[in-house]
């Protein structure tokens, strides 16, 4: 059996892979491990629990709350809130543990559990391993006054929105914005924050029914946002994913502005304000080569990590950097958040437009994206990506053909059962052809 925790918590098909008993057991194990590590020493422990709107979150929330309370932890239910809001409130409310129920950008049938420590950071790999090892082991639950108590939070949305607004350098007055909330966790927070920041706001994807999260909307489906921006004559569009830890954007013409472009714009804004630590941006190996070239030409450094915002964050904390992210739209502004925050990112991207007086499409020209093709290959053995001689030989051949004009990256997904094949090349045709050739090798060599 593989490691239960992936790059972003425990995730799977709700009620099949991620069941109520598993959710309860994980919560009990987390409480036990943190308690044994001294996290609760000298006080009665408190956890906050939030979720996105998907239907399965209702029974999984009940299971998590039951598990924590049975382990002697008081629980404050936050309700439907973005993942970064749960991280922020874990720290602000002086909780010992934060729990978020979400499968992020995945479809509605999936769900997931991620844990935050008392500072609002995702738990370290070693702590997750200890939680997994504690599953199903004997323990003595508390009784009587020792069991946890459960209550609902009040004012959590207001508290989080107020925090977001304190980070903004300028008003968004004069900007007309379309925001796509993916029928997810930001459906209330994002429009409210944008309006209070001064923008004129048009909202789409803000009618969650438990089943329509990420369904043809949000950061993984930008066509609806682009259409709405053009229809309403907006200056820009902002899209979150289901749990709102991602942000992508579109220009007034409906052209996509991806995470690399957003990072490039915000890195220059931070440098201009004298707030970019070490003149360095932390990005993953998936960032476009054009991003790295643009940062180099601007005199900024780029530090690369493995894919996953947790690894970006680990590098930032280890080396004292305060800005980084992923092409997918996870952008971490460490001076204001402990995790990727899509609403925060959107606010600051629009603030760059307002401050500069330049349209988003002009700001996005800070970098030129090299044509990039990503092919996802399912139903193969992800564990053999680095050991297959046939695949290694195919990669070497493609890299030799591209030389310094492109690159190849093949990796197992950390959140879904697939292998991702990415190729960058001087033209879309070259990138597409190379990616398909390599995908064919993956399909045959990793069966």
């Amino acid at each position: 059996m593989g490691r239960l925790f992936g790059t972003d918590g425990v995730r799977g098909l709700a009620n099949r892979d991620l069941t109520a008993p598993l959710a309860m057991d994980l919560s009990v194990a987390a409480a036990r491990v943190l308690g044994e590590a001294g996290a609760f020493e000298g006080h009665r422990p408190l956890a906050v629990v939030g979720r996105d709107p998907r239907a399965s979150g209702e029974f999984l929330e009940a299971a998590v709350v039951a598990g924590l309370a049975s382990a002697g932890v008081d629980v404050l239910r936050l309700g439907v809130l973005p993942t970064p809001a749960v991280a922020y409130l874990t720290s602000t409310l002086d909780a010992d543990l934060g729990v978020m129920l979400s499968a992020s950008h995945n479809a509605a049938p999936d769900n997931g559990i991620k844990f935050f420590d008392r500072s609002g950071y995702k738990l370290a790999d070693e702590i997750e391993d200890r939680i997994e090892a504690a599953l199903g082991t004997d323990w003595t639950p508390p009784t009587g006054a020792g069991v946890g108590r459960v209550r609902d939070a009040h004012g959590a949305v207001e508290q989080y929105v107020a925090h977001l607004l304190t980070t903004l350098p300028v008003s968004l007055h004069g900007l007309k914005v379309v925001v796509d909330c993916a029928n997810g966790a930001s459906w209330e927070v994002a429009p409210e924050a944008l309006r209070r920041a001064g923008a004129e706001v048009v909202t789409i994807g803000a009618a969650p029914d438990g089943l329509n999260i990420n369904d043809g909307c949000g950061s993984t489906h930008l066509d609806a946002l682009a259409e709405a921006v053009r229809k309403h004559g907006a200056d820009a569009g902002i899209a979150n994913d289901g749990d709102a830890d991602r942000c992508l954007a579109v220009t007034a013409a409906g052209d996509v502005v991806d995470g690399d472009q957003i990072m490039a714009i915000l890195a220059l804004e931070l440098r201009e304000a004298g707030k970019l630590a070490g003149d360095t941006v932390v990005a993953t190996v998936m960032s476009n080569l054009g991003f790295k070239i643009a940062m180099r030409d601007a005199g900024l450094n780029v530090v690369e990590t493995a894919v996953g915002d947790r690894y970006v964050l680990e590098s930032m904390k280890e080396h004292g950097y305060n800005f980084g992210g992923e092409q997918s739209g996870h952008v971490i502004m460490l001076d204001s958040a402990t995790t990727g925050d899509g609403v925060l990112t959107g606010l600051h991207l629009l603030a760059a437009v307002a401050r500069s007086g330049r349209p988003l499409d002009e700001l996005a020209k800070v970098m030129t994206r090299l044509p990039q093709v990503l092919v996802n290959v399912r139903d193969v053995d992800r564990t053999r990506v680095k050991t297959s001689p046939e695949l290694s030989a195919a990669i070497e051949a493609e890299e030799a053909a591209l030389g310094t004009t492109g690159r190849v990256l093949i990796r197992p997904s950390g959140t879904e059962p697939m292998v991702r094949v990415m190729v960058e090349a001087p033209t879309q045709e070259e990138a597409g052809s190379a990616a398909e050739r390599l995908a064919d090798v993956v399909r045959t060599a990793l069966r």
Side-chain angles (χ1 to χ4, degrees):
M1 175 177 160
R3 187 174 187 265
L4 185 62
F5 284 88
T7 57
D8 201 19
V10 177
R11 191 178 298 186
L13 181 60
N15 226 22
R16 294 286 180 84
D17 305 317
L18 182 57
T19 62
L22 177 57
M24 182 180 292
D25 290 348
L26 280 167
S27 301
V28 168
R32 291 173 56 201
V33 167
L34 292 174
E36 291 165 1
F40 307 153
E41 193 169 341
H43 67 279
R44 187 174 176 91
L46 171 67
V48 295
V49 179
R51 63 182 179 88
D52 70 24
R54 64 190 78 213
S56 60
E58 297 169 3
F59 77 76
L60 289 172
E61 176 192 57
V64 166
V65 169
L68 291 170
S70 75
V73 178
D74 290 340
V75 180
L76 187 61
R77 284 187 298 221
L78 300 176
V80 174
L81 276 179
T83 289
V86 174
Y88 170 73
L89 291 167
T90 301
S91 175
T92 302
L93 297 175
D94 200 27
D96 300 283
L97 176 67
V99 187
M100 178 66 184
L101 294 159
S102 176
S104 189
H105 60 283
N106 287 24
D110 289 346
N111 216 321
I113 301 177
K114 59 187 85 174
F115 296 103
F116 296 98
D117 67 19
R118 63 177 302 107
S119 297
Y121 292 107
K122 293 176 183 176
L123 296 184
D125 287 349
E126 62 179 345
I127 300 298
E128 290 181 341
D129 288 340
R130 290 170 60 188
I131 292 172
E132 187 168 340
L135 288 173
T137 59
D138 292 336
W139 69 297
T140 303
T143 59
V147 302
R149 305 299 298 272
V150 182
R151 56 194 171 93
D152 292 322
H154 300 286
V157 169
E158 169 58 31
Q159 192 168 356
Y160 176 56
V161 170
H163 160 67
L164 294 173
L165 295 175
T166 65
T167 72
L168 276 185
V170 296
S171 167
L172 304 186
H173 180 74
L175 292 181
K176 185 174 184 178
V177 182
V178 179
V179 59
D180 184 346
C181 304
N183 290 315
S186 72
W187 75 273
E188 185 177 7
V189 165
E192 177 70 9
L194 287 165
R195 289 191 187 100
R196 287 173 54 181
E200 179 184 351
V201 181
V202 176
T203 304
I204 65 174
D209 63 9
L211 301 175
N212 59 359
I213 188 170
N214 301 315
D215 186 9
C217 56
S219 62
T220 52
H221 303 278
L222 293 171
D223 288 348
L225 178 61
E227 181 180 349
V229 167
R230 291 190 293 262
K231 174 183 176 182
H232 292 280
D235 296 292
I238 298 295
N240 297 139
D241 63 336
D243 70 335
D245 62 357
R246 295 188 189 194
C247 170
L248 294 182
V250 300
T251 68
D255 296 323
V256 173
V257 179
D258 70 10
D260 285 338
Q261 291 169 296
I262 292 172
M263 284 195 294
I265 293 168
L266 294 185
L268 296 181
E269 286 290 302
L270 288 169
R271 198 263 301 272
E272 178 72 17
K275 295 180 178 180
L276 184 63
D279 283 346
T280 296
V281 182
V282 180
T284 77
V285 293
M286 284 294 288
S287 275
N288 193 281
L289 185 57
F291 167 77
K292 298 166 191 173
I293 292 170
M295 294 296 91
R296 181 198 65 198
D297 291 347
L300 301 182
N301 307 308
V302 176
V303 172
E304 282 192 350
T305 74
V307 174
D309 63 322
R310 69 181 300 139
Y311 302 117
V312 173
L313 179 59
E314 286 174 5
S315 179
M316 291 168 67
K317 291 170 63 180
E318 180 180 355
H319 300 291
Y321 302 129
N322 65 343
F323 184 70
E326 296 187 282
Q327 185 186 70
S328 61
H330 283 122
V331 177
I332 304 173
M333 306 182 73
L334 199 53
D335 291 341
S336 303
T338 56
T339 185
D341 189 327
V343 181
L344 178 75
T345 300
L347 287 166
H348 281 261
L349 180 64
L350 294 168
V353 173
R355 186 201 65 79
S356 67
R358 299 162 61 194
L360 181 56
D361 62 343
E362 187 176 327
L363 293 180
K365 290 177 182 175
V366 65
M367 65 164 279
T368 301
R369 284 183 293 190
L370 212 63
Q372 187 181 79
V373 171
L374 177 65
V375 178
N376 295 319
V377 184
R378 296 182 178 272
D379 301 321
V380 293
D381 185 354
R382 291 183 294 171
T383 66
R384 296 175 50 217
V385 167
K386 294 184 179 180
T387 60
S388 167
E390 297 92 341
L391 183 56
S392 296
I395 292 172
E396 289 179 12
E398 297 294 348
E399 287 179 333
L402 289 169
T404 60
T405 65
R407 66 185 182 121
V408 172
L409 178 64
I410 299 181
R411 65 179 187 88
S413 170
T415 58
E416 297 179 80
M418 63 177 65
V419 170
R420 304 191 191 277
V421 177
M422 190 275 286
V423 177
E424 290 173 342
T427 69
Q428 194 74 21
E429 292 74 19
E430 290 175 273
S433 296
E436 286 300 336
R437 287 193 295 269
L438 288 167
D440 286 340
V441 176
V442 170
R443 292 184 187 101
T444 57
L446 303 188
R447 288 293 183 190

